[in-house]
Amino acid sequence: MPKYQDELDAVLRALADPTRRAVVERLAKSPAVVSDLAAPFSMALPSLMQHLRVLEDAGVVTSEKHGRVRTVSLRPGALDVLHLWLDEQRTPAERQADRLGIHLTRTNPKED
């Protein structure tokens, strides 16, 4: 089991919800105030705040409050754990595909 398993689980849980994925996609463009993030969704502001809390608890986003305005940003490197895990999963699959290709080449030589 990878030593970053808890972090990976938290990020995957946070991104399992389509609303939270949409928020992350929006924040990938630039930081935004909560009211702007809430605009495209048909939900009450407290509901969106719960989604933001899940993303923040998972370390995907950060937020700052200046007066009455809360600005949310995507945390740099927050999704690196996903890339790391996916790369680890891809490598064995690619090795299997390479072995299959070699096997097929040996058993079915090209006819000239």
Side-chain angles (χ1 to χ4, degrees):
M1 231 181 207
K3 51 188 159 189
Y4 54 85
Q5 189 70 40
D6 291 340
E7 182 183 358
L8 175 65
D9 289 347
V11 170
L12 288 172
R13 272 192 302 275
L15 296 177
D17 183 89
T19 300
R20 292 192 288 267
R21 286 194 305 273
V23 168
V24 169
E25 288 172 13
R26 167 55 189 84
L27 293 174
K29 297 173 187 167
S30 66
V33 296
V34 172
S35 59
D36 291 345
L37 289 173
F41 303 106
S42 58
M43 66 175 66
L45 192 57
S47 297
L48 181 69
M49 291 301 294
Q50 287 179 340
H51 285 292
L52 292 175
R53 197 167 305 115
V54 170
L55 289 168
E56 197 161 7
D57 290 347
V60 176
V61 302
T62 59
S63 66
E64 294 180 353
K65 190 170 184 179
H66 297 285
R68 293 180 158 207
V69 179
R70 179 169 295 279
T71 303
V72 183
S73 303
L74 190 61
R75 188 177 63 79
L79 303 179
D80 289 351
V81 68
L82 293 175
H83 292 288
L84 180 61
W85 183 79
L86 288 171
D87 286 344
E88 289 175 359
Q89 303 318 304
R90 188 173 319 153
T91 302
E94 287 173 349
R95 277 193 229 123
Q96 288 177 344
D98 290 344
R99 285 195 304 265
L100 177 61
I102 292 168
H103 173 73
L104 292 174
T105 301
R106 289 181 181 161
T107 57
N108 296 319
K110 291 182 180 177
E111 295 180 20
D112 294 326

